[in-house]
Amino acid sequence: MRGGSSFIGGGGAVTGPQTDIKKHDTGCGPGELCIVGIGPGALEHMSPKGRSALEKSHVVVGYKTYIELIRELLIDKKIISTGMKDEIKRAGQALNEATAGQKVALVSGGDSGIYGMAGLVLEMAIRRNIGIGHDVLLEIIPGIPAFTAAASLLGAPLMHDFASVSLSDLLTPWEVIQNRIEMAAQGDFVIILYNPKSKKRDWQLSTVKDIILKYRRPETPVGIVSSATREGQRINVSTLSHMGRYEVDMQTIIIVGNSSTFRAGDFMITPRGYLDKYL
Ligand code: SAH
């Protein structure tokens, strides 16, 4: 809890007029915007707090796939659902409704602060000079992100240091992405690959694999999880050299092990070092 403190932007990363941003954590009242991380898919993975924010809201804004995932909770709500790449529109609509005095829930898949809607809403509020804490109360409710959902289905691949890289080059230049992969591979981080593929973007994964292979064994375990906790869930453990054999889509997340990650049956385990030290 930031408990009544004010801050301006994100440590200088955000430019714009000064906005008195106060956070609020006592549940939703009038003129409120709750940004709810709904988790990876199945409703049982949404936090009770996220669920209660949805129940209390009058207006629910979200990407249509996420609206469908939570449809049964949305009886008697005004629903504003938009398509992919409509993030700015969604954030704008949520802010408009909230500044007009509505109780709004903006839903975001997984956690809203991980390649999600939370940052965009804060940046837009600053850009529009909306006083959070005055014009609208804001609460960001965390959700289970896809990477922890996937890790738990694979076993325990994230027991040691890890880095997450999104392969989407829509907002980030490919050179930056490639360099981050290179650095993470060199640093022996377990590597989480978000957005590994889209309809128009299918070439990057093999380039990424080649970069990682410069630093890691071809037999390094790789977990490929699609639609975690959703209908059609798929879990595969492969190796760096063979990962290309598995189906990857827009609901897939990939976890590449570090130099000590091993496979045991269907499990992928990255040892933290307990047994070497204490047994
Ligand atoms: N905010 C989300 C990430 C959104 S980016 C989070 O906290 O996880 C969208 C990407 O997340 C997808 O392309 C995919 O790589 C991953 N993803 C989201 N839900 C997933 C799921 N249920 N199973 C596997 N990957 C998922």
Side-chain angles (χ1 to χ4, degrees):
M1 188 178 99
R2 205 173 275 105
S5 71
S6 317
F7 64 90
I8 305 160
V14 179
T15 53
Q18 284 206 351
T19 306
D20 182 15
I21 296 181
K22 291 205 180 88
K23 298 231 325 179
H24 155 91
D25 67 349
T26 52
C28 286
E32 298 186 354
L33 174 55
C34 286
I35 308 178
V36 181
I38 63 167
L43 282 181
E44 62 188 344
H45 291 294
M46 192 192 310
S47 74
K49 180 147 183 164
R51 212 179 162 110
S52 110
L54 279 176
E55 278 159 12
K56 287 181 198 159
S57 65
H58 302 139
V59 182
V60 177
V61 184
Y63 171 47
K64 52 184 188 314
T65 306
Y66 299 136
I67 293 287
E68 285 321 310
L69 286 170
I70 56 167
R71 177 69 70 177
E72 65 184 85
L73 302 179
L74 305 183
I75 297 149
D76 295 333
K77 313 269 182 213
K78 176 176 170 184
I79 298 172
I80 304 178
S81 81
T82 56
M84 216 161 51
K85 298 188 185 155
D86 276 340
E87 288 84 2
I88 290 196
K89 196 161 142 194
R90 275 201 290 285
Q93 282 167 321
L95 283 167
N96 289 347
E97 294 280 346
T99 47
Q102 294 289 332
K103 288 186 184 184
V104 184
L106 171 62
V107 294
S108 194
D111 183 84
S112 71
I114 299 175
Y115 313 118
M117 293 296 292
L120 175 58
V121 170
L122 286 170
E123 285 184 78
M124 276 182 74
I126 290 165
R127 187 72 66 89
R128 290 187 179 185
N129 209 12
I130 294 170
I132 293 181
H134 306 293
D135 302 326
V136 64
L137 297 173
L138 177 82
E139 184 168 18
I140 301 170
I141 299 172
I144 295 175
F147 76 89
T148 56
S152 62
L153 291 167
L154 290 164
L158 302 178
M159 288 292 293
H160 220 299
D161 303 332
F162 58 89
S164 168
V165 181
S166 164
L167 301 193
S168 170
D169 57 359
L170 220 57
L171 300 169
T172 307
W174 174 240
E175 296 67 46
V176 173
I177 297 170
Q178 207 169 286
N179 186 47
R180 287 183 181 160
I181 295 284
E182 181 107 29
M183 295 296 108
Q186 209 171 32
D188 200 27
F189 286 93
V190 174
I191 304 174
I192 299 160
L193 300 173
Y194 264 95
N195 297 297
K197 192 175 176 181
S198 77
K199 280 184 193 140
K200 292 189 187 147
R201 194 170 46 74
D202 59 0
W203 53 274
Q204 292 153 313
L205 203 50
S206 67
T207 310
V208 163
K209 177 181 103 173
D210 292 340
I211 297 172
I212 303 175
L213 273 171
K214 291 201 283 178
Y215 305 93
R216 258 167 242 188
R217 295 172 292 119
E219 312 77 52
T220 303
V222 172
I224 302 158
V225 178
S226 303
S227 302
T229 81
R230 294 184 196 168
E231 215 183 299
Q233 170 178 287
R234 303 190 301 278
I235 309 160
N236 287 297
V237 182
S238 178
T239 61
L240 200 47
S241 57
H242 291 150
M243 62 188 271
R245 297 182 182 177
Y246 293 84
E247 192 189 333
V248 167
D249 57 30
M250 288 164 75
Q251 268 84 54
T252 303
I253 191 160
I254 297 175
I255 301 182
V256 181
N258 69 10
S259 57
S260 30
T261 304
F262 64 95
R263 179 181 180 161
D266 289 338
F267 291 122
M268 183 173 161
I269 303 158
T270 302
R272 183 143 187 239
Y274 290 111
L275 298 194
D276 284 347
K277 181 153 185 184
Y278 299 112
L279 273 186

